[in-house]
């Protein structure tokens, strides 16, 4: 039986677009926001359903239909960093075409967050979680980092499925006014963000590229005390999205 579970899992993870959901919260959000969840393995099926009933009753029927119990030793062969909730799942991510269409749709009622060449998987996950919480249209990244990496999904708590997340090149950016966060820009307190803005953030060490600055419609600065080098990326995104949301009251 254990061998059959492993074979079925290995077959599912080879499917195009398959992504690992590590832990209950990532699985909960994938189910809640319509993710295509194919496999769910847990060390304690009854305990998992009880946890879902306590924290997310809306996903209990879907979870009950797919969750299969497996020994912890088997789970650790499939996900060596097993989440404390003892559950792993495989889902199929939305197609790039579907996400790009969602990002390109106009009129846009909420900004798109652009992360230029991010380096830290956990930071990207935190940004996606923020974007979902604020109701942003989506998050796009440039560079080599895969925004659907399992560590990013863990950091976002599966909220990739609540917004549109894609990796693009600069020429492929969605249309809309480009607002680039940069210390040389206009004070953010003096500049409202339109709903269809692209809010662009660079790395904490290097900031945004000269190419992105040249493409910007506006450069925007967040005031900072002298001697402080930078804000954390996710903190900067949170300030930008909160500033946009505050202007809608």
């Amino acid at each position: 039986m254990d061998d059959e579970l492993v074979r079925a899992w290995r077959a599912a993870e080879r499917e195009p677009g398959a992504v690992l959901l590590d832990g209950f919260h990532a699985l909960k959000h994938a189910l809640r926001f319509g993710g295509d969840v194919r496999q769910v393995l847990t060390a304690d099926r009854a305990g998992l359903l009880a946890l879902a009933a306590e924290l997310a009753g809306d996903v209990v029927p879907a979870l009950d239909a797919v969750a299969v119990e497996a020994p912890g030793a088997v789970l650790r062969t499939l996900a060596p960093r097993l989440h404390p909730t003892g559950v792993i799942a495989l889902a199929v991510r939305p197609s790039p075409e579907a996400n790009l269409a969602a990002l390109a749709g106009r009129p846009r009622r909420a900004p798109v967050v652009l992360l230029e060449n991010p380096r830290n998987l956990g930071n990207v996950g935190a940004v996606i979680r923020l974007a979902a919480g604020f109701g942003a249209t989506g998050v796009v990244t440039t560079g080599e980092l895969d925004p659907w990496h399992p560590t990013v999904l863990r950091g976002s708590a599966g909220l990739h499925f609540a917004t549109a997340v894609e990796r693009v090149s600069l020429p492929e950016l969605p249309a809309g006014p480009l607002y680039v966060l940069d210390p040389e820009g206009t004070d953010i307190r003096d500049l409202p963000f339109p709903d269809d803005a692209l809010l662009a953030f660079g790395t904490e060490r290097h900031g945004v590229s000269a190419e992105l600055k040249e493409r910007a419609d506006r450069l925007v600065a967040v005031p900072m005390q002298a001697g402080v080098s930078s804000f954390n990326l996710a903190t900067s995104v949170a300030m930008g999205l909160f500033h946009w949301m505050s202007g809608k009251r």
Side-chain angles (χ1 to χ4, degrees):
M1 178 62 175
D2 292 349
D3 289 344
E4 292 178 10
L5 288 176
V6 171
R7 282 196 294 271
W9 179 276
R10 295 301 187 198
E13 70 180 359
R14 289 192 294 269
E15 293 180 13
V19 291
L20 174 67
L21 304 175
D22 183 17
F24 171 72
H25 294 294
L27 173 59
K28 168 191 72 179
H29 285 131
L31 291 170
R32 177 173 290 162
F33 291 101
D36 182 4
V37 178
R38 301 287 179 87
Q39 298 271 336
V40 177
L41 298 180
T42 174
D44 180 1
R45 189 178 190 279
L48 175 64
L49 293 174
L51 180 64
E54 178 185 357
L55 300 179
D58 57 307
V59 307
V60 170
L63 190 57
D64 189 27
V66 294
V68 175
E69 190 164 292
V74 170
L75 298 183
R76 283 185 287 273
T77 66
L78 302 174
R81 282 187 63 216
L82 188 61
H83 192 274
T85 53
V87 60
I88 55 175
L90 287 171
V92 176
R93 54 161 291 181
S95 71
E97 293 78 14
N99 275 338
L100 291 171
L103 291 161
R106 304 296 292 274
R108 198 161 53 228
R109 295 186 173 88
V112 171
V113 174
L114 164 61
L115 303 182
E116 187 186 29
N117 197 22
R119 309 296 176 85
N120 185 286
L121 295 165
N123 272 344
V124 177
V127 167
I128 293 167
R129 189 168 184 170
L130 285 165
F134 280 104
T137 296
V139 177
V140 294
T141 67
T142 66
E144 297 182 359
L145 184 147
D146 177 9
W148 283 84
H149 187 281
T151 301
V152 182
L153 274 156
R154 189 172 190 165
S156 81
L159 283 162
H160 285 63
F161 292 93
T163 190
V165 178
E166 280 301 329
R167 177 169 47 180
V168 300
S169 65
L170 288 184
E172 296 173 322
L173 290 179
L178 179 59
Y179 284 59
V180 173
L181 275 286
D182 184 81
E184 299 175 359
T186 301
D187 190 312
I188 191 172
R189 294 170 292 184
D190 300 327
L191 188 66
F193 291 161
D195 291 348
D196 62 346
L198 276 72
L199 304 182
F201 302 82
T203 63
E204 289 144 332
R205 176 173 296 182
H206 302 294
V208 295
S209 67
E211 181 183 0
L212 191 60
K213 283 187 184 182
E214 290 174 2
R215 295 172 63 97
D217 293 286
R218 299 297 298 264
L219 297 180
V220 186
V222 175
M224 190 182 310
Q225 291 296 312
V228 178
S229 57
S230 69
F231 292 116
N232 174 271
L233 175 61
T235 301
S236 297
V237 174
M239 288 189 287
L241 288 173
F242 182 78
H243 179 67
W244 161 73
M245 178 180 281
S246 297
K248 294 182 67 64
R249 291 188 63 181

